[in-house]
Amino acid sequence: MDRMACVSLPALPLQLLLRRHPEWVACPVAVAAEDRPQGLICYVNTAARKAGVRPGLRYAAGCSLAADLRAGVIPSVEIDEAVEAVAEQLRRFTPEVEPSTEEPGVFWLNGIGLTRLYRSYEAWARLIAADLNDVGFRATVVVGFTRFGTYAMAKAQDGTVVFDNPADERAAARQVRLEHLKLDPDLRDTLVKLSVTTVGAFLALPAGGLLTRFGPAAYRLHRMASGELWTPLQPRKLQEPIRQRLVLDDPETDATRLLFHLKGLLHPLLKALVVRGETLVWLTLRLRLDLSASQAGGNGPACASHADRWREEHVCPAAPTLDPVQILDLVRLRLDAIELPAGVIEMELMAAGIPAPAEQYRLTCLCRHGRQVVERPRRDLEAANRALARIRATFGDEAVGRVRLADGHLPEASFRWEPLEQGLGIEGWRLEVKPGTRKQALGTAKRSLVRRIFAKPIPLRLPPGSHLHGPYIISGGWWGRDLSACEHAQAETHRDYYFAETRRGELLWVYYDLNRRYWFLHGTVE
């Protein structure tokens, strides 16, 4: 009889967030859908649940229930990458793995024909769970006979479960509570009011009545649970890595000629990505160096290792793209930035891609002649990201940074600089909210009027006729009033901030320092 397994990584986005911040493991943690106070909470850990935080609440409401609530946003791209990585890891135990398209973190595995490789299905399930635990994932593995039966048990149980016959699996699945399954919250609440809390009670309802009263989703779930809706395992096909290789007749050291050779490799690489429906996110450039000449002349090592012969460089565009001009430009900058100790005799390009979003297909299309036609918005963030990628390719990743809000009372201490890991406006900005700093989750683009802040406030004489809006008082250092007079003078700060509208139409951000009794210009508003 056919055997299959369901592997469930409960609340996969939450696990990814905790892998990113392992120091949060003992705190209330939530995954929010958006980086703003009104963003919906999607997943919570046990500590947050004990504090009353539930999925479906707004982030601001969650903070009112748990003041030390940590939250973050896990972009869909990161989830897709994790699903693909886990699927690849599961293929070590069976060649046929089907990730769920509706619920990230759920996988079905084909268990047919594995008894000669593993002494029992219990051992097979334990090896899978242990392998995922080693890479930091908490997983449940259920080996059974049906797709729904294994799924329901994997959502309700922890550890590994193996059923010896279909009757046991069916009986166990009927006892699973509906709250463990992925159901529409309204449907679940309605069923609870009707005292329908388990799969068995749900199956006792008439299928036709479910379709009439609750719609197609409830009807489909009923058919899946009863076994009427059977679908075969649909494993994802293994994808061979996309690569292109070229062996040169003579060692080449000129960067321009190397770029010309690479251009010939890049186009077939991008065409292969298009066939797969993917876009390029990472390009690996491997150059094999001819060290024999330097060794013969006594300038190199007596015996160069394999690692010495191959020089590997990486190029990461600002956003997933199929634009050869943009990619070649980054490769050119990378080649200009490195110094090769010997000529190149072989080169290889390897592309890493992700499924192309529909948005990209809307914006980008290939005409019959292979040229790209792109609709560009007025404010072109892609152009800005390409510029940042060029700077990174030339000067390194640390050359590009962004401002991160910090716990500072005064404006000049309320931010810090950190490396910019992703492009501007790209889904994937990571929200890092520390306890007691709810203001970090506020929509800063709407809240911050000041576009330019001077590193050091400039003494100012207010232009005559200026119209002031304020004050907005900021004070600090008052806790040091028990210090000496000298220390007190340095520690305490009291500023009355105003927006000053001048006759010339300028909008200045100024403050009056009560201690110094003078006006200062701190920024301007564009």
Side-chain angles (χ1 to χ4, degrees):
M1 184 171 291
D2 294 349
R3 301 297 295 266
M4 66 188 316
C6 181
V7 177
S8 173
L9 278 63
L12 177 60
L14 180 63
Q15 294 197 45
L16 294 177
L17 181 62
L18 290 175
R19 288 181 69 186
R20 188 192 299 171
H21 298 283
E23 69 277 10
W24 290 1
V25 66
C27 306
V29 181
V31 176
E34 299 174 87
D35 183 3
R36 61 191 186 95
Q38 298 304 315
L40 283 176
I41 291 177
C42 302
Y43 301 91
V44 297
N45 67 347
T46 303
R49 194 176 292 276
K50 288 181 178 178
V53 183
R54 295 286 187 273
L57 293 177
R58 304 289 180 183
Y59 170 69
C63 288
S64 66
L65 296 171
D68 56 344
L69 179 68
R70 273 77 164 173
V73 175
I74 302 298
S76 58
V77 173
E78 187 174 347
I79 296 174
D80 293 341
E81 291 176 354
V83 168
E84 186 59 36
V86 172
E88 185 65 27
Q89 190 160 351
L90 292 176
R91 289 191 185 96
R92 298 163 57 185
F93 301 93
T94 177
E96 296 188 344
V97 177
E98 177 191 343
S100 172
T101 57
E102 300 177 356
E103 191 171 351
V106 175
F107 305 84
W108 284 279
L109 282 63
N110 192 350
I112 300 176
L114 299 178
T115 52
R116 294 187 177 182
L117 296 177
Y118 304 94
R119 68 175 185 271
S120 66
Y121 283 110
E122 288 82 357
W124 182 50
R126 286 196 297 270
L127 286 174
I128 295 174
D131 192 60
L132 292 175
N133 290 335
D134 289 343
V135 294
F137 286 115
R138 182 168 61 89
T140 298
V141 184
V142 176
V143 181
F145 300 88
T146 64
R147 181 187 292 265
F148 180 82
T150 55
Y151 164 76
M153 292 303 298
K155 298 296 291 184
Q157 297 286 332
D158 291 328
T160 60
V161 179
V162 178
F163 292 103
D164 295 327
N165 57 75
D168 291 346
E169 177 194 294
R170 189 163 49 250
R174 292 177 67 89
Q175 303 302 319
V176 172
R177 298 184 64 82
L178 293 178
E179 63 189 25
H180 296 301
L181 307 182
K182 185 181 181 183
L183 289 179
D184 180 76
D186 294 337
L187 172 62
R188 182 188 56 208
D189 296 342
T190 304
L191 292 175
V192 170
K193 292 177 182 178
L194 297 174
S195 300
V196 179
T197 57
T198 64
V199 173
F202 182 71
L203 287 175
L205 299 176
L210 283 173
L211 177 61
T212 304
R213 184 170 181 178
F214 297 108
Y219 179 63
R220 181 173 179 269
L221 177 64
H222 190 278
R223 294 185 65 199
M224 291 176 58
S226 63
E228 293 182 7
L229 184 61
W230 177 85
T231 54
L233 197 68
Q234 300 173 0
R236 186 175 297 178
K237 295 181 180 178
L238 289 174
Q239 299 281 3
E240 292 291 333
I242 299 177
R243 64 178 66 189
Q244 291 288 324
R245 176 176 296 180
L246 176 66
V247 179
L248 304 179
D249 295 332
D250 299 306
E252 184 60 72
T253 57
D254 184 76
T256 303
R257 288 194 288 270
L258 285 176
L259 187 66
F260 181 79
H261 290 305
L262 290 172
K263 182 180 179 182
L265 300 179
L266 182 62
H267 288 285
L269 207 71
L270 296 180
K271 286 182 180 178
L273 285 173
V274 171
V275 171
R276 288 188 180 182
E278 297 179 345
T279 56
L280 186 138
V281 294
W282 193 268
L283 182 69
T284 300
L285 168 63
R286 301 183 74 232
L287 303 173
R288 186 181 180 186
L289 306 178
D290 181 22
L291 297 179
S292 58
S294 58
Q295 292 170 8
N299 299 325
C303 183
S305 65
H306 178 78
D308 294 334
R309 294 181 181 275
W310 284 94
R311 175 72 178 262
E312 188 169 298
E313 299 291 336
H314 303 280
V315 170
C316 179
T321 182
L322 293 171
D323 186 0
V325 176
Q326 180 187 160
I327 299 170
L328 278 176
D329 189 39
L330 297 178
V331 172
R332 179 183 62 81
L333 292 172
R334 177 61 69 186
L335 290 178
D336 290 342
I338 63 177
E339 184 176 353
L340 299 175
V344 177
I345 57 176
E346 185 177 353
M347 55 180 58
E348 184 181 60
L349 282 182
M350 292 184 292
I354 62 171
E359 179 71 9
Q360 182 152 4
Y361 278 122
R362 185 182 68 81
L363 295 175
T364 305
C365 61
L366 293 175
C367 69
R368 294 179 180 177
H369 304 287
R371 297 179 60 186
Q372 285 192 327
V373 180
V374 181
E375 300 174 7
R376 300 181 186 281
R378 291 184 58 189
R379 186 178 184 184
D380 196 348
L381 285 178
E382 293 182 4
N385 289 327
R386 287 197 295 271
L388 296 178
R390 287 168 55 86
I391 295 175
R392 274 196 291 265
T394 305
F395 301 104
D397 294 338
E398 300 297 328
V400 180
R402 67 161 177 162
V403 173
R404 168 73 73 181
L405 295 179
D407 289 333
H409 203 66
L410 298 178
E412 56 267 33
S414 62
F415 63 89
R416 65 176 183 275
W417 289 97
E418 63 179 23
L420 181 64
E421 298 177 351
Q422 293 176 290
L424 302 173
I426 295 177
E427 187 181 8
W429 285 117
R430 295 165 181 173
L431 170 67
E432 298 177 1
V433 182
K434 297 180 179 179
T437 60
R438 292 173 54 189
K439 63 181 182 179
Q440 293 189 357
L442 297 176
T444 54
K446 297 180 180 179
R447 183 171 61 91
S448 301
L449 292 178
V450 178
R451 301 295 181 88
R452 180 182 181 189
I453 300 178
F454 299 119
K456 184 177 180 181
I458 302 172
L460 173 73
R461 289 185 179 275
L462 273 179
S466 299
H467 184 64
L468 298 178
H469 301 271
Y472 305 94
I473 301 175
I474 294 179
S475 63
W478 45 267
W479 49 84
R481 288 176 180 172
D482 55 344
L483 302 175
S484 63
C486 180
E487 293 172 329
H488 179 204
Q490 296 178 357
E492 186 173 1
T493 302
H494 187 110
R495 300 173 181 175
D496 293 345
Y497 277 87
Y498 296 86
F499 289 101
E501 187 175 1
T502 67
R503 290 180 175 178
R504 301 173 56 184
E506 297 174 323
L507 194 56
L508 309 178
W509 194 44
V510 302
Y511 70 86
Y512 182 75
D513 193 321
L514 288 184
N515 294 327
R516 301 182 185 181
R517 299 184 181 278
Y518 207 82
W519 287 93
F520 289 88
L521 175 64
H522 206 165
T524 59
V525 180
E526 297 178 355

